[in-house]
């Protein structure tokens, strides 16, 4: 039973394309997150949703748009991909807030050529 | 704003040797503190966490951490390292007001045979 799953695991695309990453959690958690991990392994939060409501929106380009159709799903859509978007994107969830343990998905490695 | 510093970017220890990974935090109130481990190609997994109570916290895989308020530290220790402990280790502080966790930049652990 996978707690937090992401698809796809790998994504290779050309500059300027639009792509989406999907995330699902079966833990019954209220809060979900998107993180970006760069090549130096620095981990930065991008967005957080609580019960489908956006609660954290860090300084992220408008080309990134999260969508939460229900509290078990949080998808990330990226428009007009740029070279600098290449990274590993992690989805995570927690029971309520970030003071609870976060459960991470396996990551999606995005490569923009 | 809260912050987390992991002073050691990379640590190498011999298998069977003891390990200590350092973490210093900056937070106004009583912090929620976490240590996560990221094995190669995987997402982060919680090792242990602290909010209140006993300042020495036991975690999974034989790890422990000690909260020292006077030093604003939450160092991770293991008495005898195994080759499978080679991974990236992240310290994090949870902010109840901001509703998010801030992660340190990580420490890469290499284990020599």
């Amino acid at each position: 039973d996978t707690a937090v799953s992401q698809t796809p695991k790998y994504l290779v695309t050309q500059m300027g394309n639009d792509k989406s990453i999907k995330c699902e959690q079966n833990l019954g958690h209220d809060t979900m997150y998107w993180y970006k991990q760069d090549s130096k392994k620095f981990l930065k939060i991008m967005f957080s949703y609580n019960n489908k409501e956006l609660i954290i929106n860090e300084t992220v380009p408008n080309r990134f748009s999260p969508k939460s159709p229900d509290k078990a799903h949080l998808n990330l859509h990226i428009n007009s991909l740029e070279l600098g978007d290449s990274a590993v994107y992690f989805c995570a969830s927690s029971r309520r807030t970030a003071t609870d343990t976060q459960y991470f998905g396996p990551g999606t490695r995005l490569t923009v050529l | 704003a809260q912050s987390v510093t992991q002073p050691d970017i990379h640590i190498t220890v011999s298998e069977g040797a003891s390990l200590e990974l350092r973490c210093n935090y900056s937070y106004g109130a009583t912090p929620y503190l976490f240590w996560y481990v990221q094995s190669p190609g995987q997402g982060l997994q919680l090792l242990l966490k602290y909010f209140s109570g006993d300042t020495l916290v036991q975690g999974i895989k034989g790890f422990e951490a000690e909260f020292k308020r006077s030093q604003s530290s939450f160092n991770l220790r293991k008495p005898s390292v195994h080759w499978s402990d080679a991974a990236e280790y992240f310290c994090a502080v949870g902010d109840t007001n901001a509703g998010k966790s801030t992660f340190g930049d990580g420490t890469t652990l290499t284990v020599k045979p």
Side-chain angles (χ1 to χ4, degrees), chain A residues 1 3 9 12 18 26 69 72 84 87 94 112:
Chain A
D1 286 345
K9 188 165 178 61
V12 181
D18 302 338
N26 63 6
S94 64
V112 182

Side-chain angles (χ1 to χ4, degrees), chain A residues 33 35 92-94 98 100-104, chain B residues 34 36 44 46 101 103:
Chain A
Y33 313 82
Y35 287 88
S93 72
S94 64
D100 296 316
T101 299
Q102 293 184 55
Y103 293 80
F104 285 78
Chain B
F34 305 83
Y36 289 87
L44 281 70
L46 180 75
S101 286
F103 285 79

Side-chain angles (χ1 to χ4, degrees), chain A:
Chain A
D1 286 345
T2 303
V4 182
S5 59
Q6 295 178 229
T7 53
K9 188 165 178 61
Y10 299 97
L11 190 51
V12 181
T13 188
Q14 300 288 331
M15 272 198 323
N17 285 349
D18 302 338
K19 290 294 178 185
S20 293
I21 306 172
K22 295 186 176 181
C23 177
E24 177 181 2
Q25 55 97 359
N26 63 6
L27 298 167
H29 288 169
D30 287 344
T31 305
M32 296 184 73
Y33 313 82
W34 277 111
Y35 287 88
K36 179 181 180 180
Q37 186 175 47
D38 63 21
S39 57
K40 294 185 178 180
K41 303 215 172 161
F42 298 155
L43 196 65
K44 299 300 178 191
I45 189 168
M46 301 172 68
F47 303 103
S48 173
Y49 270 74
N50 180 272
N51 276 318
K52 302 193 299 177
E53 181 183 345
L54 179 67
I55 57 172
I56 293 173
N57 185 350
E58 294 292 290
T59 307
V60 177
N62 291 337
R63 300 181 293 102
F64 290 79
S65 54
K67 284 188 173 53
S68 181
D70 54 60
K71 75 173 194 177
H73 296 84
L74 180 61
N75 304 323
L76 183 65
H77 188 76
I78 315 170
N79 290 325
S80 304
L81 278 155
E82 301 178 356
L83 293 176
D85 298 332
S86 295
V88 180
Y89 293 83
F90 286 101
C91 177
S93 72
S94 64
R95 192 160 58 95
R96 289 182 305 241
T97 71
T99 53
D100 296 316
T101 299
Q102 293 184 55
Y103 293 80
F104 285 78
T108 296
R109 181 173 293 277
L110 171 64
T111 303
V112 182
L113 304 175

Side-chain angles (χ1 to χ4, degrees), chain B:
Chain B
Q2 74 276 20
S3 65
V4 178
T5 302
Q6 294 181 243
D8 305 304
I9 297 173
H10 195 167
I11 283 185
T12 299
V13 299
S14 297
E15 190 167 15
S18 63
L19 171 69
E20 182 170 31
L21 301 182
R22 296 183 291 164
C23 173
N24 294 99
Y25 68 90
S26 172
Y27 187 64
T30 300
Y32 289 76
L33 294 164
F34 305 83
W35 274 102
Y36 289 87
V37 61
Q38 182 181 20
S39 297
Q42 297 186 25
L44 281 70
Q45 178 188 20
L46 180 75
L47 282 176
L48 45 81
K49 62 182 178 182
Y50 170 82
F51 171 56
S52 64
D54 192 346
T55 56
L56 186 62
V57 181
Q58 301 298 319
I60 62 171
K61 305 185 182 187
F63 285 92
E64 67 178 25
E66 186 170 12
F67 171 63
K68 293 186 178 180
R69 185 186 297 276
S70 61
Q71 298 178 20
S72 296
S73 69
F74 188 56
N75 295 346
L76 182 72
R77 301 194 294 248
K78 186 170 185 177
S80 177
V81 169
H82 187 262
W83 64 266
S84 61
D85 294 324
E88 192 78 17
Y89 291 80
F90 292 93
C91 181
V93 60
D95 186 334
T96 53
N97 292 328
K100 67 177 183 178
S101 286
T102 298
F103 285 79
D105 289 341
T107 297
T108 303
L109 174 66
T110 299
V111 180
K112 294 190 303 184

